[in-house]
Amino acid sequence: MDLVVLQNWLDNISFAILFATMLIYWVGAAFPGIPYLGALGTAGMAVANLSIAALLGSRWIEAGYFPLSNLYESLFFLVWGITAIHLVAENMSRSRLVGVATSPVAMAITAFAALTLPDTMQSAEPLVPALKSNWLMMHVSVMMLSYATLMVGALLAIAFLIVTRGQKIELTGSSFGTNSNRNGNYRLQRPQNPQPPADDDSRQPVGEPAFNSNNGYSTTAVLELATVQTASTAPTQTAELLSPQRLNLAETLDNISYRIIGLGFPLLTVGIIAGAVWANEAWGSYWSWDPKETWALITWLVFAAYLHARITRGWQGRRPAILAATGFVVVWICYLGVNLLGKGLHSYGWFF
């Protein structure tokens, strides 16, 4: 079979699989009682990952070089990375909500590459002299893997904000995976199966499990506002109800997001260093403040601030999630915005 025809089939098949997978994940989130939807979603992401790997492999054979020389190839390599990291994150979290966040992004990128880019940008062309280097595989592949990893971690942080409804909560696990509690505005109170109250007082203290006539105590967890008391003010308390499942999921998303970003940051660091070495070989300068280089540095600083806040400042929950969500936007500006809208050594096209 003609490899070009095979690639056209594979990119359309990848889009169709990811679109169906996205619908499966969304239906599974809306109707969690339907069996096998979670397994189907995972299988869909795995099949999409394999089909994109086959596309990139056929491209490699056809062109004779590692398929990362133009926007079409890099977009599909990015989707391959996202689907691979998705499978890792889903296995770590045991939550199908990961697919609810990652599948639309993977599907949208595939649609943009397969259905929107002109044929001239999709076809393989001979490499320019500057790209005829082993650094093409080293630098660009590591950078794309770092983008994919950081995107998945940031998407999980956005999912955390959605699950917690943007509330500032205190999680029981620290950034290091211990059970030490951090200082915050909210404390997580879970039912502890205490003894029934001696009297029949209908007034329920804030922070205690609510009494239920059927089973003694309800399974509703209480997100309690920490008591604040000074010399001139009396203690005040407020409580908001969130289900234990939602709170457990929030803790899982926060922890997995931190771990995934912790994996993507070293990849980004190695990619930037490799790019500097390659730039010195190709252009005679390690750093030229090209728009791509500048935004790569901004991306590095954003996620360095995220990890610094978690590791040394003990941040958890909403604040680092907002920082990671900001990083998601910055990654897209660095990867696609600069390449399409800016003039520079890394540009794929000039739109104005």
Side-chain angles (χ1 to χ4, degrees):
M1 177 183 289
D2 186 358
L3 290 178
V4 175
V5 176
L6 177 62
Q7 293 165 28
N8 292 333
W9 275 96
L10 287 173
D11 63 10
N12 286 281
I13 289 172
S14 300
F15 166 72
I17 293 173
L18 287 170
F19 182 76
T21 302
M22 179 191 69
L23 295 179
I24 290 171
Y25 274 118
W26 284 6
V27 171
F31 305 98
I34 301 178
Y36 305 117
L37 284 182
L40 283 175
T42 303
M45 293 296 275
V47 172
N49 180 271
L50 293 176
S51 65
I52 294 172
L55 186 155
L56 294 173
S58 64
R59 187 82 165 200
W60 195 347
I61 295 172
E62 177 208 353
Y65 54 81
F66 194 70
L68 277 175
S69 65
N70 60 25
L71 181 59
Y72 175 83
E73 296 167 355
S74 70
L75 283 170
F76 272 103
F77 192 89
L78 178 65
V79 177
W80 178 85
I82 290 175
T83 53
I85 298 300
H86 159 88
L87 295 173
V88 174
E90 191 174 66
N91 182 67
M92 293 171 64
S93 65
R94 303 294 180 184
S95 172
R96 306 306 177 192
L97 188 61
V98 176
V100 175
T102 58
S103 58
V105 175
M107 186 275 297
I109 297 172
T110 305
F112 177 70
L115 307 177
T116 304
L117 290 180
D119 293 338
T120 55
M121 296 186 70
Q122 295 187 22
S123 60
E125 297 179 354
L127 290 177
V128 298
L131 295 180
K132 294 179 180 179
S133 170
N134 292 330
W135 287 105
L136 173 65
M137 181 185 297
M138 173 62 184
H139 166 61
V140 184
S141 64
V142 174
M143 288 298 294
M144 297 307 301
L145 285 175
S146 72
Y147 291 160
T149 308
L150 294 173
M151 283 181 185
V152 172
L155 285 170
L156 296 180
I158 295 171
F160 169 87
L161 293 174
I162 296 173
V163 167
T164 59
R165 303 166 187 167
Q167 298 178 14
K168 186 177 181 180
I169 66 174
E170 180 180 326
L171 303 175
T172 57
S174 72
S175 293
F176 300 98
T178 65
N179 289 324
S180 59
N181 287 323
R182 304 286 187 181
N183 293 327
N185 289 348
Y186 288 92
R187 291 196 303 270
L188 179 60
Q189 304 291 335
R190 289 192 174 86
Q192 302 295 332
N193 297 323
Q195 295 297 324
D199 56 4
D200 191 22
D201 188 1
S202 61
R203 298 172 59 187
Q204 180 66 31
V206 173
E208 296 294 332
F211 185 75
N212 186 294
S213 60
N214 295 327
N215 54 17
Y217 291 89
S218 72
T219 59
T220 302
V222 176
L223 195 62
E224 181 189 41
L225 184 64
T227 303
V228 180
Q229 185 175 11
T230 63
S232 59
T233 61
T236 59
Q237 288 184 325
T238 306
E240 296 183 25
L241 298 180
L242 291 177
S243 68
Q245 294 82 4
R246 184 181 289 265
L247 290 169
N248 288 331
L249 179 58
E251 287 185 329
T252 301
L253 290 173
D254 179 76
N255 183 262
I256 300 302
S257 172
Y258 166 64
R259 292 172 182 270
I260 296 297
I261 291 175
L263 173 63
F265 183 75
L267 291 174
L268 179 65
T269 304
V270 172
I272 291 175
I273 294 173
V277 176
W278 188 15
N280 184 61
E281 289 187 2
W283 302 314
S285 174
Y286 286 100
W287 196 268
S288 58
W289 294 106
D290 180 76
K292 185 78 167 186
E293 297 172 350
T294 303
W295 277 98
L297 177 60
I298 294 172
T299 304
W300 189 91
L301 290 174
V302 169
F303 286 102
Y306 171 90
L307 293 175
H308 172 77
R310 294 208 62 141
I311 295 173
T312 65
R313 302 291 296 177
W315 281 18
Q316 289 179 272
R318 185 178 66 178
R319 290 187 296 177
I322 293 174
L323 192 57
T326 304
F328 180 77
V329 178
V330 173
V331 167
W332 272 112
I333 295 174
C334 177
Y335 166 59
L336 199 58
V338 172
N339 288 34
L340 294 179
L341 302 178
K343 280 186 175 180
L345 298 172
H346 297 80
S347 298
Y348 291 125
W350 176 246
F351 274 13
F352 297 106

